Amino acid sequence: MPAALREPPPFRYRAPERLGPGGAAFRAPRRCHEPPQRRLGRCRRGSPAPPGPVLHPTVESLDLRDCDISDNALLQLHNCKQLKKINLNSCRENRLGITSEGVIALALSCPYLREASFKRCCDITDSGVLALALNCQFLQIVNLGSCSGIMDASLQALGENCKFLHSVDFSSTQVTDDGVVALVSGTCSENLKEIHMERCVNLTDVAVEAVLTCCPKIHIFLFHGCPLITDRSREVLEQLVISNKIKQVTWTVY
């Protein structure tokens, strides 16, 4: 194909570190271990999110950790149909600007999402996760850690609709055994490899046994800080550790 007719490579937004004289953007240095074409943009803490017109329609990944953003930023993604990865994790304090309204808009705009991370976005509820599960059925990695509004309905929706899901974090949420059983009994049971459910105060041995029974590929399983889980789970786990089926596991004995 003549060079003039070749399509340009997909654009990936990289957030500016700061603004110089006349508004010129200074970029942070590339991380040497990441290929340039896959490198994600990341804001300095407190930096504003990229405005809508800056985002190219073919952007595939956005790293907005610690950016000062709200639902309005997610509403600007309506043309980013090729987005596959978005990181909205907050590394320290809770993020209050992202709610289920923004997540619903994201889900409706970006059906090819593979990875969605919302750690400490504490205003997200089950309605947002339900929209993701129904509209983004290629999801493989979901991080809902410390999203205190997440309940069993979120895990049920992911289990029923996201058969490619292989990593899920719902640590420090209010989920119960019923939610975990629904997740690992769903279409993703054969693909789940990594589950983080530490510090979930409502979970018991039932949840642990459900994971170990229904997920043959599980190799990272974290459930420390769950006060209702007993030695009964430890005994089952020891057999799997001996057989080398589990690569990483953490739990707390009370």
Side-chain angles (χ1 to χ4, degrees):
M1 181 183 292
L5 298 181
R6 293 176 183 167
E7 295 184 358
F11 174 82
R12 293 170 178 80
Y13 171 78
R14 192 174 196 280
E17 280 289 311
R18 60 187 185 279
L19 295 179
F26 288 85
R27 306 292 184 180
R30 290 176 178 171
R31 298 174 184 172
C32 60
H33 63 279
E34 294 177 344
Q37 67 272 21
R38 293 294 181 187
R39 184 168 41 83
L40 304 180
R42 184 174 180 183
C43 297
R44 184 184 293 274
R45 176 174 293 276
S47 298
V54 170
L55 295 177
H56 195 279
T58 59
V59 67
E60 292 185 357
S61 57
L62 284 173
D63 188 342
L64 301 175
R65 284 174 288 176
D66 298 318
C67 289
D68 184 12
I69 64 173
S70 66
D71 287 341
N72 289 333
L74 300 185
L75 295 175
Q76 302 301 320
L77 301 179
H78 56 89
N79 287 326
C80 300
K81 303 298 183 184
Q82 301 304 314
L83 189 67
K84 294 180 174 65
K85 177 178 179 179
I86 187 166
N87 190 337
L88 294 168
N89 288 345
S90 177
C91 295
R92 295 181 179 87
E93 65 272 3
N94 290 336
R95 186 193 293 280
L96 302 176
I98 302 296
T99 72
S100 287
E101 180 181 355
V103 176
I104 292 170
L106 171 69
L108 294 174
S109 300
C110 308
Y112 298 109
L113 270 180
R114 264 65 166 178
E115 181 173 347
S117 299
F118 305 102
K119 188 172 184 177
R120 295 192 179 90
C121 294
C122 58
D123 286 337
I124 294 177
T125 62
D126 290 336
S127 60
V129 180
L130 177 61
L132 279 175
L134 291 176
N135 294 281
C136 307
Q137 298 184 16
F138 297 104
L139 278 171
Q140 299 176 12
I141 300 173
V142 176
N143 189 340
L144 300 168
S146 298
C147 295
S148 54
I150 297 303
M151 310 291 253
D152 291 341
S154 291
L155 300 189
Q156 181 177 355
L158 292 171
E160 290 178 350
N161 297 282
C162 302
K163 66 179 180 180
F164 300 108
L165 188 69
H166 64 77
S167 175
V168 59
D169 184 337
F170 49 90
S171 55
S172 299
T173 64
Q174 297 300 311
V175 300
T176 71
D177 292 340
D178 290 341
V180 176
V181 170
L183 172 70
V184 302
S185 300
T187 60
C188 61
S189 62
E190 295 292 323
N191 291 316
L192 278 170
K193 300 176 182 178
E194 181 173 352
I195 293 179
H196 295 242
M197 60 184 205
E198 59 266 30
R199 296 181 296 277
C200 290
V201 297
N202 298 319
L203 297 183
T204 73
D205 295 317
V206 172
V208 175
E209 292 180 8
V211 171
L212 299 178
T213 301
C214 299
C215 304
K217 294 182 180 179
I218 195 74
H219 64 264
I220 296 178
F221 188 24
L222 310 183
F223 58 93
H224 57 270
C226 300
L228 300 182
I229 293 177
T230 71
D231 272 353
R232 176 175 145 194
S233 294
R234 179 183 58 80
E235 294 168 0
V236 177
L237 271 169
E238 283 179 347
Q239 298 302 316
L240 292 177
V241 172
I242 292 172
S243 63
N244 292 321
K245 291 184 178 180
I246 298 287
K247 304 300 181 184
Q248 180 182 352
V249 60
T250 65
W251 71 89
T252 305
V253 176
Y254 289 91

